[in-house]
Amino acid sequence: MSVKCMIRDVKDYVGQTVRIGAWLHNKRSSGKIQFLQLRDGSGYIQGVVVKSEVSEEVWNDASKLTQESSLYVTGVVREDSRSKFGYELTVTGVEIIQITQDYPITPKEHGVDFLMDHRHLWIRAPRQRAILSVRAEIIRAIQQFFDQRGFNLVDPPILTPSSCEGTTNLFHTKYFEEDAFLTQSGQLYMEAAAMALGKVYSFGPTFRAEKSKTRRHLIEFWMIEPEMAFVDHEENLRVQEEFVSYVVQSVLKNCAAELETLGRDVSKLEKCVAPFPRISYDDAVKFLQDKGFEFTWGEDFGAPHETAIAESYDTPVFITNYPTEIKAFYMKPDPNRPEVVLCADMIAPEGYGEIIGGSQRIDDPELMEQRFAEHELSSEAYQWYMDLRKYGTVPHSGFGLGLERTVSWICGLDHVRETIAFPRTLYRLYP
Ligand code: 4AD
Ligand code: MG
């Protein structure tokens, strides 16, 4: 009798016969023994087929297996300290489901375009599997963090009538007779939700028709957007640093094997514990000028600037109080210095750039009206948003964490395109 199980659970079946649905990842053969590298999505295990111990049929079926052939394998689980997986399977039976011919992704090196064209298969590779598995852990940690702290999950709409983060990179679509846009950020709706539920967060896809072809930009990316009533700028930063530390420490605890597969230097991540340093925009500008950058107050930072600033720290760093001019219309000005806003970007270490953008929001109805005029936003489209300032306005703050940039940093990747199963990038909609 065999028990059906998944590879990750074989530790519970040492000495027993199990049956596993699997794909052949790789194979070695000595003529008398075949070593099958098997994967089932939950993990990897080596199946050992000994010619003298199995029927001719089992031996021959095992010999036919090619890369990515699918099968049910039956065998006895053995503890094996030499194997990097810790366990081995002494194979007693092989049931072929399909012998795969000409699997396009071979163990040799392939170019990025080729791999991206075959992304639907590429995600089976150990490295890609590890990344997607870390991503899933990050999402679990995010939800745990907020759920444990009394936040309610709220889902803002994806089809929207107006913009949140400026009108230049909106995806336009039709909503029957009306014009509509794919959401750039759920924030404005989350502000309404915070007035109803106090502390809320959203987690969903957002879209930016950005013509940027960088290693940090996706056209479709996932964002976590908490929004909190009665929370000011300073309190907002404290939530962010605790949140990011929690996520990193959860990955270190639960994804050690994946981080090893990725060759991630975990000592760098271990240092990521709150509180995080803060540097004002003003000081960041001075710092850059001292480093020889040509940079004037009022400009926005680009990737090289962010990287130069982040290099001074082991943990993420907050850059606070940016010029009002270069930030979104809804950010609250510093009461003592209205030319800057009560905002912060969190910059990840090691050159991964901005992972969080957040701020305290304008709560004063008159100032909000004034901003609509300055930014040429039709007050009709934002009528409902104004209502939040009219009916019991309160100080409130929130932020948005970009999931893919966070995955990219924690996994130590060169490019954000590997952080999501099917990335949407500037020139790619397939597969
Ligand atoms: O700084 P952003 O544009 O902020 C907002 O959208 C706010 N409304 C969030 C809020 O306060 N609720 O975007 C937030 C984060 C960035 O820090 C970055 O991590 C990520 O979203 N992001 C992108 N990630 C991948 N590709 C892109 N094109 C991204 N644009 C922003
Ligand atoms: Mg930003």
Side-chain angles (χ1 to χ4, degrees):
M1 270 299 286
S2 64
V3 199
K4 196 169 173 200
C5 87
M6 293 198 78
I7 293 173
R8 58 172 290 168
D9 298 325
V10 294
K11 61 182 186 308
D12 301 331
Y13 297 99
V14 175
Q16 297 182 50
T17 302
V18 295
R19 182 167 176 260
I20 299 171
W23 293 268
L24 185 87
H25 176 58
N26 211 339
K27 190 167 76 173
R28 279 187 303 120
S29 178
S30 75
K32 288 187 182 136
I33 305 184
Q34 298 182 64
F35 297 99
L36 315 177
Q37 309 297 328
L38 300 163
R39 62 165 197 92
D40 73 345
S42 80
Y44 296 84
I45 195 165
Q46 173 160 275
V48 184
V49 194
V50 182
K51 193 170 185 181
S52 59
E53 288 172 13
V54 295
S55 70
E56 204 174 314
E57 196 192 346
V58 169
W59 178 261
N60 289 341
D61 280 350
S63 316
K64 287 181 207 149
L65 296 171
T66 52
Q67 188 190 354
E68 288 307 307
S69 287
S70 46
L71 67 150
Y72 286 106
V73 62
T74 309
V76 184
V77 179
R78 312 240 183 253
E79 236 168 311
D80 180 18
S81 53
R82 290 162 308 171
S83 149
K84 77 169 174 186
F85 311 118
Y87 301 89
E88 238 184 33
L89 201 65
T90 304
V91 175
T92 54
V94 168
E95 302 156 63
I96 294 172
I97 302 171
Q98 185 182 47
I99 295 295
T100 288
Q101 309 288 355
D102 305 321
Y103 186 68
I105 304 180
T106 56
K108 73 164 196 199
E109 290 269 308
H110 296 284
V112 169
D113 271 337
F114 178 88
L115 290 169
M116 291 301 282
D117 283 340
H118 294 86
R119 183 67 179 163
H120 50 295
L121 302 176
W122 188 25
I123 52 178
R124 300 182 186 189
R127 197 181 145 75
Q128 299 306 314
R129 184 201 160 272
I131 296 168
L132 293 180
S133 188
V134 172
R135 178 186 169 106
E137 173 59 27
I138 292 175
I139 295 171
R140 262 191 298 276
I142 287 168
Q143 291 174 338
Q144 265 166 21
F145 181 88
F146 290 112
D147 292 344
Q148 284 165 3
R149 284 164 182 74
F151 284 70
N152 279 294
L153 177 68
V154 171
D155 304 310
I158 289 172
L159 289 165
T160 61
S162 49
S163 94
C164 175
E165 292 300 309
T167 47
T168 52
N169 58 16
L170 282 171
F171 265 108
H172 183 222
T173 182
K174 289 307 274 188
Y175 193 77
F176 305 108
E177 306 308 317
E178 279 178 71
D179 285 312
F181 308 99
L182 297 184
T183 184
Q184 296 167 306
S185 157
Q187 180 196 318
L188 307 187
Y189 295 98
M190 297 310 288
E191 289 183 54
M195 302 305 136
L197 294 146
K199 289 181 181 180
V200 291
Y201 74 101
S202 65
F203 175 51
T206 49
F207 306 85
R208 309 257 170 117
E210 255 167 326
K211 297 262 162 150
S212 349
K213 195 170 184 277
T214 77
R215 60 197 198 90
R216 297 173 178 184
H217 284 88
L218 289 172
I219 304 303
E220 179 180 308
F221 65 97
W222 286 64
M223 197 160 30
I224 293 83
E225 295 188 88
E227 195 68 34
M228 299 159 282
F230 308 105
V231 163
D232 65 17
H233 172 56
E234 171 60 33
E235 294 166 314
N236 192 21
L237 298 192
R238 287 211 295 270
V239 175
Q240 292 172 45
E241 61 196 6
E242 268 173 41
F243 165 53
V244 171
S245 309
Y246 181 87
V247 169
V248 172
Q249 299 309 318
S250 301
V251 173
L252 284 171
K253 189 165 132 219
N254 301 323
C255 295
E258 284 79 7
L259 294 173
E260 198 189 321
T261 299
L262 295 168
R264 184 65 167 112
D265 178 354
V266 290
S267 68
K268 295 225 164 90
L269 296 175
E270 279 158 2
K271 293 183 189 138
C272 182
V273 180
F276 298 162
R278 295 164 193 198
I279 175 171
S280 68
Y281 173 90
D282 294 347
D283 287 342
V285 170
K286 282 191 212 110
F287 170 86
L288 289 172
Q289 289 168 341
D290 289 346
K291 284 228 153 190
F293 284 91
E294 283 212 17
F295 195 94
T296 31
W297 198 98
E299 284 179 74
D300 205 356
F301 300 127
H305 307 119
E306 287 177 355
T307 301
I309 296 162
E311 267 169 6
S312 310
Y313 309 95
D314 284 339
T315 65
V317 52
F318 289 110
I319 306 179
T320 65
N321 304 82
Y322 282 68
T324 310
E325 279 281 299
I326 57 171
K327 284 292 184 188
F329 74 91
Y330 51 71
M331 293 191 181
K332 187 180 173 78
D334 183 334
N336 305 316
R337 259 186 91 196
E339 70 277 18
V340 300
V341 276
L342 298 176
C343 77
D345 283 355
M346 187 193 287
I347 313 297
E350 304 173 69
Y352 284 94
E354 179 198 325
I355 50 172
I356 289 184
S359 68
Q360 185 165 345
R361 323 303 192 187
I362 292 175
D363 47 38
D364 172 39
E366 269 141 49
L367 180 58
M368 191 54 97
E369 287 283 12
Q370 190 187 320
R371 285 287 190 269
F372 284 138
E374 287 164 6
H375 289 256
E376 294 173 4
L377 298 167
S378 114
S379 37
E380 218 171 281
Y382 293 90
Q383 185 70 55
W384 67 270
Y385 188 65
M386 265 308 294
D387 279 354
L388 308 177
R389 276 73 189 167
K390 241 167 83 183
Y391 304 115
T393 191
V394 298
H396 64 288
S397 304
F399 62 93
L401 171 117
L403 179 66
E404 288 73 17
R405 290 204 192 157
T406 306
V407 175
S408 191
W409 160 49
I410 293 179
C411 290
L413 309 181
D414 292 337
H415 201 292
V416 78
R417 67 185 158 225
E418 290 181 42
T419 61
I420 182 164
F422 296 99
R424 301 292 88 144
T425 55
L426 190 47
Y427 299 114
R428 181 171 293 280
L429 191 56
Y430 176 93

